């Protein structure tokens, strides 16, 4: 009896005297509950609502935390990163600041290919070791789920190594890792300029092998003049479909190749970047339920001037996620809080849109909305508890971290 009640109590945790931003779909704004409480049993939310309506069965015997009026939001979700990479490209940044063009940087051995070289030279363990500080920076700001792409390996062995390293990150830290296969990211040197042959290799050999090993939760690609065409990407997406993997796309970042429409045509979870997307693209995404993932870090870092069409997304009812795009070339950013500030300042997202973008909509962009992203009964108890007076502070500050505590799966 004692043992039984102990295990029951051990599995039941209660956070009381809190203000909740539940982010629940359909609730007004942030789904705020003043004087709220949240209970979790065995890592799942069993109550989130007014403390006055908390069932007494949940109040008794629970391990209780008095939040002293602090705010609780869903744990934050970074739904687009290239977090697993080796080395960095600060040297290219310096060259560009000194006036070098991208072409000169590339001729000096820079660009994505230089990250490919570094990654291929690193062991799986070295990749984990180099990536952990970046993951820890995200976690320190209340992040509980992170998407991690491959795409700096560009052959079977090194794509597998990247994805295995990503999975290992999730074993070494209390965080959910979702992996994405980004084989069609850039052309490796050994492809000698033959994009079609490389796409064949990705679609017919690398992707099926990665999928068979269960290394990827989704498939992504870079659809751009400097990368791959919509037709080439469609071949990769067909292979993804055959492997029963959902797709997403780096679309319309530097030009409008109608990547947003391609993504929508394949029922993509998300289309990402989207600076050059037009109204037809926004309409197609709305119809397909494809999330627009906004990446202000890359926009800022490459000093892009064309902004994504936020007004069109709103008008057509496209859901918007916000993510860091952490990568060594165009967004060496490991703060989702700063990313929200950029989304607001650079693109004019509202506080509500920013917060939804790193919680509910980021979960949707990963196909995880049933599991996390809002404070609702049945979901994983992934929480961030903040020392703030109002949620706008999470978007307003730059370079300040008000996290009080972070809970992943109830712990
Ligand atoms: N778009 C980007 O901004 C990054 N990849 C992509 O598809 C760039 C990655 C890099 O330069 O290393
Ligand atoms: Fe990216």
């Amino acid at each position: 009896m004692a043992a039984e009640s102990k295990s029951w109590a051990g599995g039941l945790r209660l956070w009381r005297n809190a203000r909740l931003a539940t982010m629940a779909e359909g609730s007004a704004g942030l789904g705020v509950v003043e004087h709220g409480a949240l209970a979790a049993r065995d890592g799942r939310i069993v109550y989130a609502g007014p403390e006055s309506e908390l069932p007494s069965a949940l109040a008794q015997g629970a391990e209780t935390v008095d939040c002293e009026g602090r705010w609780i939001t869903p744990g934050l979700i970074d739904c687009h990163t290239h977090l697993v990479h080796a080395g960095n490209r600060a040297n290219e940044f310096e060259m560009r600041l000194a006036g070098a063009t991208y072409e000169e940087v590339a001729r000096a051995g820079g660009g994505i290919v230089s990250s490919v070289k570094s990654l291929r030279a690193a062991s799986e363990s070295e990749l984990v070791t180099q990536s952990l500080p970046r993951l820890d920076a995200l976690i320190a700001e209340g992040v509980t789920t992170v998407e991690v792409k491959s795409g700096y390996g560009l052959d079977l062995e090194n794509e597998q190594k990247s994805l295995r390293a990503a999975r290992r990150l999730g074993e070494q830290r209390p965080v959910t890792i979702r992996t994405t296969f980004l084989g069609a990211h850039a052309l490796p040197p050994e492809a000698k300029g033959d994009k079609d042959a490389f796409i064949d290799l990705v679609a017919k050999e690398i992707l099926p092998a990665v999928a068979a090993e269960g290394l990827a939760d989704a498939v992504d690609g870079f659809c751009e003049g400097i990368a791959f065409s919509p037709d080439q990407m469609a071949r990769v997406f067909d292979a993804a479909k055959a492997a029963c993997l959902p797709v997403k796309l780096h679309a319309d970042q530097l030009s409008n190749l109608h990547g947003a429409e391609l993504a929508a045509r394949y029922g993509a979870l998300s289309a990402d970047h989207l600076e050059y997307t037009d109204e037809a693209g926004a309409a197609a995404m709305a119809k397909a339920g494809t999330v627009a993932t906004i990446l202000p870090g890359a926009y800022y870092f490459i000093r892009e001037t064309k902004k994504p069409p936020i007004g069109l997304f709103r008008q057509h009812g496209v859901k918007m996620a916000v993510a860091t795009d952490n990568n060594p070339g165009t967004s060496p950013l490991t703060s989702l809080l700063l990313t929200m500030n950029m989304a607001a300042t650079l693109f004019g997202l509202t506080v509500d849109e920013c917060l939804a973008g790193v919680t509910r909509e980021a979960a949707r962009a990963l196909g995880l909305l049933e599991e996390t992203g809002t404070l609702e009964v049945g979901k994983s108890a992934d929480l961030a508890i903040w020392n703030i007076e109002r949620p706008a502070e999470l978007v307003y500050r730059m370079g300040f971290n008000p996290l009080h505590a972070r809970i992943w799966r109830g712990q």
Side-chain angles (χ1 to χ4, degrees):
M1 185 65 197
E4 198 184 304
S5 77
K6 186 164 174 260
S7 77
W8 180 79
L12 185 63
R13 297 192 77 192
L14 174 66
W15 291 266
R16 53 168 301 274
N17 192 14
R19 289 187 271 180
L20 310 180
T22 67
M23 307 308 299
E25 183 117 63
S27 56
L30 306 175
V32 170
V33 180
E34 298 280 351
H35 310 291
L38 187 144
R41 180 181 284 133
D42 299 331
R44 298 256 146 208
I45 298 173
V46 291
Y47 181 82
E51 187 163 344
S52 59
E53 293 168 29
L54 179 73
S56 58
L58 295 178
Q60 289 153 15
E63 185 188 334
T64 302
V65 176
D66 180 350
C67 294
E68 298 168 326
R70 291 187 179 88
W71 281 88
I72 304 182
T73 67
L76 306 188
I77 300 171
D78 195 349
C79 69
H80 180 139
T81 86
H82 310 249
L83 187 101
V84 167
H85 56 260
N88 66 62
R89 309 222 297 267
N91 60 326
E92 292 179 21
F93 181 58
E94 275 191 286
M95 286 169 72
R96 283 202 289 123
L97 290 173
T101 64
Y102 277 103
E103 206 191 337
E104 284 162 346
V105 169
R107 255 191 277 120
I112 292 182
V113 169
S114 89
S115 292
V116 172
K117 224 187 247 167
S118 309
L119 183 133
R120 287 180 175 180
S123 69
E124 187 183 312
S125 296
E126 283 165 355
L127 276 181
V128 171
T129 304
Q130 288 197 35
S131 302
L132 275 173
R134 292 188 280 273
L135 179 62
D136 287 339
L138 292 174
I139 286 174
E141 291 186 345
V143 170
T144 49
T145 301
V146 181
E147 185 256 18
V148 179
K149 301 174 197 298
S150 65
Y152 292 116
L154 304 182
D155 62 22
L156 176 58
E157 181 193 340
N158 287 293
E159 288 292 296
Q160 284 171 324
K161 181 174 75 183
S162 308
L163 294 166
R164 287 187 195 124
R167 291 265 196 247
R168 270 176 60 186
L169 292 175
E171 290 158 14
Q172 299 204 4
R173 292 293 185 271
V175 66
T176 300
I177 299 287
R178 298 293 280 185
T179 58
T180 301
F181 170 66
L182 177 56
H185 189 199
L187 200 61
E190 66 274 11
K192 297 195 167 40
D194 192 341
K195 289 186 181 178
D196 277 316
F198 180 67
I199 288 294
D200 263 355
L201 179 71
V202 168
K204 292 184 182 154
E205 289 178 35
I206 307 181
L207 188 156
V210 159
E213 208 184 318
L215 283 174
D217 302 313
V219 172
D220 195 350
F222 190 15
C223 186
E224 192 59 64
I226 58 165
F228 300 102
S229 71
D231 284 349
Q232 288 164 339
M233 276 319 310
R235 281 152 61 196
V236 176
F237 283 180
D238 287 333
K241 262 205 164 148
C244 298
L245 288 174
V247 301
K248 55 181 85 176
L249 190 65
H250 286 71
D252 309 336
Q253 181 187 5
L254 308 169
S255 63
N256 184 8
L257 294 185
H258 305 286
E261 281 142 291
L262 172 72
R265 186 146 36 87
Y266 278 85
L269 289 171
S270 69
D272 303 34
H273 287 287
L274 305 171
E275 278 81 347
Y276 288 80
T277 297
D278 59 17
E279 180 150 20
M285 287 175 66
K287 203 161 162 222
T290 296
V291 175
T293 299
I294 304 302
L295 305 169
Y299 169 93
Y300 165 85
F301 196 75
I302 66 174
R303 290 186 274 185
E304 175 62 64
T305 52
K306 178 108 168 72
K307 299 180 192 227
I310 304 300
L312 288 176
F313 295 147
R314 287 183 184 133
Q315 199 182 309
H316 287 269
V318 179
K319 312 278 191 189
M320 290 185 281
V322 175
T324 63
D325 194 17
N326 173 265
N327 78 69
T330 63
S331 190
L333 172 61
T334 46
S335 168
L336 207 43
L337 293 176
L338 181 56
T339 305
M340 281 197 283
N341 178 272
M342 287 179 170
T345 306
L346 300 174
F347 298 157
L349 265 67
T350 65
V351 165
D352 291 9
E353 285 170 336
C354 286
L355 287 168
V358 299
T359 56
R360 184 183 66 236
E361 301 314 328
R364 194 191 313 273
L366 295 177
L368 287 180
L369 194 52
E370 303 281 294
E371 179 62 23
T372 189
T374 67
L375 304 180
E376 290 180 283
V377 170
K379 292 200 181 185
S380 179
D382 298 342
L383 323 174
I385 307 177
W386 305 97
N387 286 315
I388 53 175
E389 283 303 315
R390 51 191 299 148
E393 288 174 50
L394 298 177
V395 180
Y396 151 81
R397 292 186 196 257
M398 297 184 283
F400 181 77
N401 180 7
L403 188 75
H404 172 71
R406 172 190 169 280
I407 314 295
W408 178 69
R409 299 188 181 168
Q411 299 292 323

